[in-house]
Amino acid sequence: MTRSLWLTILLVAGCGDDAMQGADASVSSNCHPSGLHTDLPWFGNNRADLTSWIDSQGCASAGYDAAKRPVALFDWDNTLSKNDFGDAITFYLIANGKVLQPPNQDWKQTSKFMTDAAATALTTACGTAVPAGKPLPTNTNAACADEMLEIYINGNTKGGMAAFAAWDYRTMEPTYAWTAQLMAGYTHAEMQAMMMQAVTPQLAAAQGATQTIGTHAGLNAWLRIYDQQKDLVHALQTRGYDVWIITASPQDAIAAVSEMAGIAPDHVIGIRSITDGAGKLTYDFEGCGPVADRADTMISYINGKRCWVNKIVFGDTTANAINRRPADQRAAFAAGDSDTDADFVRDAKYKLILNRNKPELMCYAYLNEQGSWRVNPMFIAPKSMLAGSYPCSTSACKTSSGAPGPCHDEAGNVIPDQKDNVY
């Protein structure tokens, strides 16, 4: 079955460049902004506020310039979706025996940050009998599946040893990167087909469905695309916005499903693996800003998301792409749910946050500088109010070394602790 049969939304045409000429955008006959549907619930005044925000820079506004369309950015996992599509493809690869034995049966080749303890644990659990480049039987070898899952989910071996070490916590999350690295040996097309096989049953599964892989029970087995977010994407596109996905999941995984939220695959920015001469994915990643190709020290994660947005959306291929752009050269709108989204969301003029109790992001969101942040509970199974306060003044933010520390506002002041009030 082709992927197109599973697309739930077709791209809605935005305000065409040929119909817009600078400040004359407001008189274009092709500008027909769509309202956010009133039968889709939002928290408080969020629907009205979002509509006002996106109207202010959309194709019916006096200052709209079709040659420089306003940019809207969305994280994918748990922002456009309920639950994690990166988990879905990782679980699929392991459950179906799709992970390939690394060269020389050497697991340290899969990640520059993998510890000796993790490599030894994987070799012990998965063995050396399977030739390099051939599928490991994780569908029948529970020990091998369990070791992979423990490393992916918890960042530790089953014996409790750290699986990864010595990475920059603002540009890399080795467990996220490992999902892309477990795809090594397949082509883009093969991985996108596997992604559809992974998510199709989960999109149809009952809310709360779980699965067992190896001996790991209770793993998530259901996914949804939020109707409210699809509606917001549509509304942005009908106003002439350039709408993108920026995700810490693999490029191929999210490109395979992005049209379910109304966003074209070529407007997806994810972890971008380098291919070999045969067109197969490798363990190495494309670089961004000061990080070269194959250095593998940055993915689209916190500072890395900013870098990749600046590189792909705004065309900055220099080392400066890691840095914040001037205010008039940034996104008009951004939406996220997690600390990994903090930088690219803070850069935008207007921000929408889904509340998953992620401390760094929620400190900024509740501070609400310039009144430009809106918080919404998750649209499906929202979290309860956080007990106590977010420790913004002491430990909610983390440094490059992973040490907890205070969060700072745009002027460099320490942010006071914040109470949870949107849940």
Side-chain angles (χ1 to χ4, degrees):
M1 186 172 294
T2 63
R3 176 166 65 89
S4 62
L5 294 180
W6 296 101
L7 302 184
T8 60
I9 285 184
L10 295 175
L11 278 173
V12 178
C15 304
D17 287 1
D18 57 343
M20 304 292 176
Q21 295 296 326
D24 293 334
S26 60
V27 300
S28 168
S29 61
N30 284 348
C31 184
H32 301 291
S34 171
L36 294 175
H37 284 77
T38 57
D39 59 340
L40 296 175
W42 288 83
F43 179 86
N45 294 321
N46 283 352
R47 180 189 292 105
D49 290 345
L50 289 168
T51 301
S52 175
W53 284 354
I54 64 178
D55 278 345
S56 71
Q57 296 181 76
C59 57
S61 67
Y64 184 83
D65 182 355
K68 189 180 179 182
R69 294 194 295 160
V71 170
L73 304 167
F74 287 81
D75 169 59
W76 179 271
D77 296 301
N78 285 300
T79 297
L80 285 166
S81 73
K82 174 66 177 183
N83 294 327
D84 196 299
F85 280 60
D87 285 351
I89 187 60
T90 308
F91 294 162
Y92 175 87
L93 292 170
I94 296 171
N96 291 276
K98 298 296 186 181
V99 178
L100 305 182
Q101 178 80 278
N104 301 317
Q105 291 80 21
D106 177 10
W107 284 95
K108 293 196 77 171
Q109 294 197 35
T110 67
S111 169
K112 289 179 170 64
F113 302 105
M114 182 168 284
T115 62
D116 291 341
T120 297
L122 286 163
T123 299
T124 300
C126 302
T128 58
V130 174
K134 298 297 181 181
L136 290 160
T138 47
N139 51 332
T140 57
N141 182 346
C144 185
D146 284 347
E147 199 65 61
M148 286 188 195
L149 287 166
E150 194 69 23
I151 288 171
Y152 171 69
I153 295 169
N154 296 316
N156 294 316
T157 68
K158 285 192 68 181
M161 302 294 288
F164 304 100
W167 71 92
D168 185 326
Y169 282 70
R170 305 298 298 184
T171 62
M172 171 60 67
E173 171 43 69
T175 59
Y176 292 7
W178 208 46
T179 290
Q181 289 161 325
L182 291 179
M183 296 176 173
Y186 293 102
T187 65
H188 294 300
E190 288 170 336
M191 278 315 313
Q192 292 188 27
M194 280 192 267
M195 183 64 178
M196 293 308 298
Q197 293 164 10
V199 304
T200 297
Q202 294 203 21
L203 289 164
Q207 183 173 321
T210 62
Q211 59 183 314
T212 298
I213 303 174
T215 64
H216 278 69
L219 300 175
N220 183 68
W222 69 281
L223 299 165
R224 296 290 187 273
I225 307 295
Y226 285 132
D227 289 334
Q228 286 89 340
Q229 298 288 54
K230 289 189 291 185
D231 195 35
L232 180 55
V233 167
H234 179 183
L236 286 157
Q237 290 169 337
T238 64
R239 286 162 173 79
Y241 281 73
D242 192 15
V243 183
W244 291 78
I245 293 165
I246 173 67
T247 176
S249 286
Q251 177 79 24
D252 285 314
I254 306 307
V257 298
S258 66
E259 288 175 292
M260 293 179 180
I263 300 173
D266 66 0
H267 271 51
V268 173
I269 308 168
I271 301 175
R272 299 191 168 189
S273 298
I274 293 173
T275 54
D276 63 16
K280 295 183 177 182
L281 304 175
T282 69
Y283 301 122
D284 292 319
F285 305 133
E286 293 182 25
C288 182
V291 176
D293 289 353
R294 297 184 175 84
D296 303 340
T297 58
M298 179 188 293
I299 59 172
S300 41
Y301 180 85
I302 313 185
N303 297 167
K305 281 196 173 184
R306 168 187 286 157
C307 190
W308 275 99
V309 166
N310 289 346
K311 176 181 177 178
I312 301 301
V313 179
F314 296 111
D316 186 350
T317 58
T318 72
N320 289 326
I322 191 71
N323 300 320
R324 174 178 272 194
R325 295 171 66 80
D328 63 347
Q329 298 175 33
R330 301 185 219 149
F333 176 84
D337 71 281
S338 181
D339 293 346
T340 182
D341 303 323
D343 277 15
F344 88 86
V345 171
R346 290 183 74 198
D347 285 356
K349 183 176 179 63
Y350 297 116
K351 303 95 167 167
L352 171 66
I353 302 303
L354 293 197
N355 186 359
R356 292 181 58 231
N357 294 154
K358 300 299 182 180
E360 178 170 338
L361 189 64
M362 298 312 297
C363 286
Y364 297 126
Y366 281 136
L367 183 65
N368 191 20
E369 289 185 273
Q370 289 83 51
S372 64
W373 297 75
R374 291 296 178 270
V375 178
N376 212 89
M378 291 186 291
F379 300 108
I380 301 173
K383 289 186 176 293
S384 300
M385 182 177 68
L386 179 76
S389 299
Y390 293 100
C392 311
S393 65
T394 55
S395 60
C397 288
K398 64 184 177 184
T399 66
S400 294
S401 67
C407 302
H408 296 84
D409 65 16
E410 296 290 350
N413 303 309
V414 172
I415 297 175
D417 292 352
Q418 300 289 317
K419 295 287 291 185
D420 194 23
N421 54 45
V422 177
Y423 49 87

